[in-house]
Amino acid sequence: MTTNRDLIAGISPYEEIIGFSRAVRIDDRILVSGTGPVQPDGGVPPDAAAQARRCFELIGAALAQAGASLEDVVRTRMYITSGAHAAAVGSVHRDLFEGARPAATMVIVAGLLDDRWVVEVEAEAFRRGGGK
């Protein structure tokens, strides 16, 4: 059995520093790394909802490079730094995934890699049609 494995690069400076890919596609499965709310200029949106939207924009871009979309997402994990952010992040998730309704987890963590981040998200998708 042949396994197709593709590495998807993103814009995070941490990819090179830590040695990871924004996403990895293996046949029809796409795993998207933890994604922080980084803007192209290095800035970070000011609130939890905007940060969540930015994370999902970056995840969507990685999925598009892998031939998939947010509609193909089957699993999300959302890491937030305070329970006070849960409603805002959950609302963004609901709006973006209302049709797909992936399995989801939201976890409160002590902190994230960048102190400005209040949310980080990872996702898993299955590309319709599979393979390359």
Side-chain angles (χ1 to χ4, degrees), residues 4 9 14 32 35 41 45 51 59 67 74 77 85-86 91 97 101 110 112 115 124 127 132:
N4 297 311
Y14 297 113
V32 183
T35 303
D41 66 359
Q51 287 193 21
I59 289 169
V74 296
R77 291 176 187 89
H85 304 308
S91 178
F97 294 104
R101 295 190 59 112
L112 297 165
D115 290 338
E124 184 171 344
R127 197 170 65 141
K132 263 195 166 183

Side-chain angles (χ1 to χ4, degrees), residues 56 76-80 89 93 104-107 119-121:
F56 288 118
T76 59
R77 291 176 187 89
M78 297 162 278
Y79 305 96
I80 58 176
V89 173
H93 187 278
T105 301
M106 188 180 300
V107 179
V119 62
E120 183 172 342
V121 181

